[in-house]
Amino acid sequence: MALSAIVAPHEWQVIRLRAQGSRLRAQGSRSSSPRSQAASPVYFPRVMLPVADVIPSRTTPWMTIGLIAISTAVFLLAWSFPIADASAWMLRLAFVPVGPSWTTATAALFLHENALHLALNVMVLWIFGDNVEDQLGHLRFLALYLVSAYAGWAAALWATPQSTVPLVGAGGPIAGVLGAYFVMFPRSRVLALVPARSIVDAIELPAVVLAAAWFSLQAVVGLGRLDVPFRGLTAALWPFVGGAVAGMLTVRVARRPERRRVEWWGH
């Protein structure tokens, strides 16, 4: 669930205008004096925390919240074990293309190798999942999530049937959520918090930038944890491809017709 899910539409617009106004005032104060502008270096944020998109939701995204809660609970449970036991447990439940099963295809969706892996997936699902669930409804959203998940594993199985690389994580279904989101909202933007000189400021970024960063970071994290980097990375990336394609196709038939209209917000 993004912040937009708990903020009324008109209030969300006020937040956006305030953020834009603060940037304009800051730019004006820097440009008012050539001397001060020359003395002060241009500030480029190095750290950004995406917190929400700019599209509000009418419904509470219970499925999104539930999926995040289950993934977090499983992660905490796994890492409450000794390291050797946690690793053995994850390897036993990981999806391996050379020996697939429905059990591992489902269990692997809720397993994550480390906190960064979990945080990346939770962040993207938190920001984009509520809008997709709002447009589809709770059960259809869960169906899209699972279809994208199994399509992702199927793509890895098709592309690398002899791979012994254990695959875990919700990359496939979250790629499906992203694919569905960009079919419905191709020009959406994301609100990100950045550290300013004395306070935290807010900026807007194209949502596609966050999606590209998520895919890139997933590839880097996957490359760093695989024993056979090139072959393993190839196997690890196919679930993203299969999930994204499945999400883009599924949303075209699963989206609820009455929620495609602008008047959906007028009731």
Side-chain angles (χ1 to χ4, degrees), residues 109-198:
L109 300 175
F110 302 100
L111 299 175
H112 293 83
E113 291 253 3
N114 50 50
L116 176 60
H117 191 199
L118 174 67
L120 289 174
N121 285 344
V122 166
M123 178 188 68
V124 172
L125 187 57
W126 178 263
I127 292 174
F128 298 110
D130 69 318
N131 299 110
V132 179
E133 185 172 349
D134 185 59
Q135 292 290 309
L136 270 63
H138 306 305
L139 293 180
R140 295 187 187 192
F141 173 79
L142 180 61
L144 179 141
Y145 191 90
L146 293 176
V147 167
S148 300
Y150 296 132
W153 296 139
L157 181 60
W158 171 79
T160 56
Q162 301 304 317
S163 174
T164 58
V165 175
L167 303 175
V168 298
I174 293 179
V177 171
L178 281 173
Y181 183 91
F182 286 110
V183 167
M184 296 185 290
F185 313 110
R187 292 182 293 276
S188 180
R189 302 181 71 80
V190 169
L191 186 70
L193 302 181
V194 297
R197 298 180 188 275
S198 59

